[in-house]
């Protein structure tokens, strides 16, 4: 894993209020896309609405990437975001979900969300 930017836990937490707002926008837009797609798949007017929503969604995703973090929830249900970091000399991702108040977990890149571990005190 090559990291362009890494966060300390403090830096990731400092960016969290903005990240929370962007993720709320992503989740809402994802919900709107799903709704528009389920209403009528063959309708050309709906397709243009979906294209507009997808464009908006891409803008939100770009905002997260500009901050240096990555959106990982393509079902648009949990709002999962990874922040590249280094803990104990290892490249990892600090891991946050939209239903969590704070960034409390990380995971090695090769393990993903299911390998989440509590952030050690030494990294706080």
């Amino acid at each position: 894993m090559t990291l362009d930017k890494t966060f300390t836990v403090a830096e990731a937490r400092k960016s969290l209020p903005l990240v929370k707002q962007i993720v709320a926008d992503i989740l809402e837009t994802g919900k709107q896309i799903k709704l528009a797609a389920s209403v009528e798949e063959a309708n050309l007017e709906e397709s243009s609405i979906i294209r507009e929503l997808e464009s908006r969604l891409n803008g939100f995703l770009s905002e997260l990437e500009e901050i240096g973090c990555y959106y990982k929830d393509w079902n648009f249900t949990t709002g999962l975001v990874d922040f590249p970091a280094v803990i104990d000399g290892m490249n990892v991702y600090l891991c946050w979900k939209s239903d969590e108040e704070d960034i409390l977990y990380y995971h090695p890149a090769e393990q993903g969300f299911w390998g989440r571990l509590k952030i050690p005190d030494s990294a706080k």
Side-chain angles (χ1 to χ4, degrees), residues 3 7 21 24 29 34 45 47 51 60 63 80 83 92 95 99 101 105-106 114 116:
L3 306 175
F7 289 83
Q21 182 56 58
T29 304
K34 286 180 181 180
E45 183 179 327
S47 294
R51 282 194 300 275
F60 296 136
E63 286 181 48
L80 184 62
F83 298 79
V92 300
C95 184
D99 63 351
E101 286 298 313
Y105 301 94
Y106 77 99
W114 299 111
R116 287 188 355 150

Side-chain angles (χ1 to χ4, degrees), residues 75-86:
N75 289 321
F76 304 104
T77 55
T78 60
L80 184 62
V81 176
D82 282 347
F83 298 79
V86 176

Side-chain angles (χ1 to χ4, degrees), residues 42-58:
N43 187 328
L44 291 177
E45 183 179 327
E46 289 296 326
S47 294
S48 68
I49 291 170
I50 291 172
R51 282 194 300 275
E52 169 59 31
L53 290 168
E54 287 173 341
S55 176
R56 187 184 307 161
L57 178 66
N58 287 331

Side-chain angles (χ1 to χ4, degrees), residues 15-124:
S15 73
L16 198 52
L18 178 57
V19 169
K20 284 180 179 183
Q21 182 56 58
I22 295 169
V23 168
D25 292 338
I26 289 171
L27 290 173
E28 178 59 30
T29 304
K31 187 169 112 179
Q32 290 174 6
I33 290 170
K34 286 180 181 180
L35 181 62
S38 71
V39 168
E40 189 150 341
E41 291 180 22
N43 187 328
L44 291 177
E45 183 179 327
E46 289 296 326
S47 294
S48 68
I49 291 170
I50 291 172
R51 282 194 300 275
E52 169 59 31
L53 290 168
E54 287 173 341
S55 176
R56 187 184 307 161
L57 178 66
N58 287 331
F60 296 136
L61 296 171
S62 292
E63 286 181 48
L64 283 183
E65 288 184 11
E66 286 175 23
I67 293 169
C69 52
Y70 305 99
Y71 189 79
K72 299 292 183 173
D73 169 32
W74 302 114
N75 289 321
F76 304 104
T77 55
T78 60
L80 184 62
V81 176
D82 282 347
F83 298 79
V86 176
I87 293 180
D88 296 331
M90 232 173 69
N91 289 336
V92 300
Y93 289 106
L94 302 175
C95 184
W96 173 79
K97 292 187 324 173
S98 63
D99 63 351
E100 297 172 340
E101 286 298 313
D102 196 4
I103 300 170
L104 303 174
Y105 301 94
Y106 77 99
H107 62 81
E110 61 279 358
Q111 291 187 8
F113 176 80
W114 299 111
R116 287 188 355 150
L117 305 164
K118 281 273 197 186
I119 296 171
D121 289 340
S122 62
K124 293 181 182 176

